[in-house]
Amino acid sequence: MATTAVPKTDPAAETSMRGEAPAAAPPGRPAAAGDANMEFILDIPLVVTVELGRTKLQIHELLKLGQGSVIELSKLAGETLEILANQKLIARGEAVILNEKYGVRLTEVVSPMERIERLK
């Protein structure tokens, strides 16, 4: 009589096959396979844009622009800036100067629920 070996499966892999999120590893224990998947997405690059303001120009106005031209924007001086990740609003802030470079101090971070609602 022949016996068949049944391979042991990883509980985290079984969980992911059922569409469930694996449980977080307790402190001091190695990370599960699900944690490795999360680490993978943390390295995905995003385009982060800080929007000072917007305007609309007609083509003939755009063609007249030259060095020293001024473009009036929709926002007032001192108004909060919008921080976008892949063109989606994630935060608001104010302009600051750090080591002779511009930066943004975040004054409000959009909640995860708000971000999900904006995706719809």
Side-chain angles (χ1 to χ4, degrees):
M1 178 177 205
T3 59
T4 308
V6 178
K8 292 187 177 182
T9 58
D10 178 16
E14 287 179 359
T15 302
S16 65
M17 284 189 264
R18 290 191 305 258
E20 301 170 10
R29 205 174 125 207
D35 295 339
N37 292 339
M38 187 60 142
E39 288 293 322
F40 176 74
I41 68 167
L42 295 177
D43 290 334
I44 296 174
L46 296 172
V47 176
V48 177
T49 306
V50 177
E51 189 173 276
L52 182 61
R54 292 179 182 219
T55 194
K56 287 186 179 182
L57 296 175
Q58 294 179 348
I59 294 174
H60 73 89
E61 295 171 313
L62 183 69
L63 294 173
K64 289 181 186 176
L65 295 176
Q67 188 170 349
S69 295
V70 176
I71 299 173
E72 188 176 343
L73 301 174
S74 58
K75 290 192 174 193
L76 300 172
E79 203 171 332
T80 59
L81 308 176
E82 293 183 343
I83 297 93
L84 310 163
N86 287 353
Q87 301 179 357
K88 302 293 181 195
L89 180 67
I90 59 164
R92 291 182 181 85
E94 59 190 22
V96 295
I97 297 177
L98 296 166
N99 301 324
E100 298 183 27
K101 293 183 180 180
Y102 286 110
V104 179
R105 176 180 295 120
L106 300 183
T107 57
E108 175 191 350
V109 177
V110 177
S111 73
M113 288 305 295
E114 250 185 289
R115 283 182 256 165
I116 289 170
E117 285 298 317
R118 290 177 189 269
L119 292 176
K120 296 179 182 178

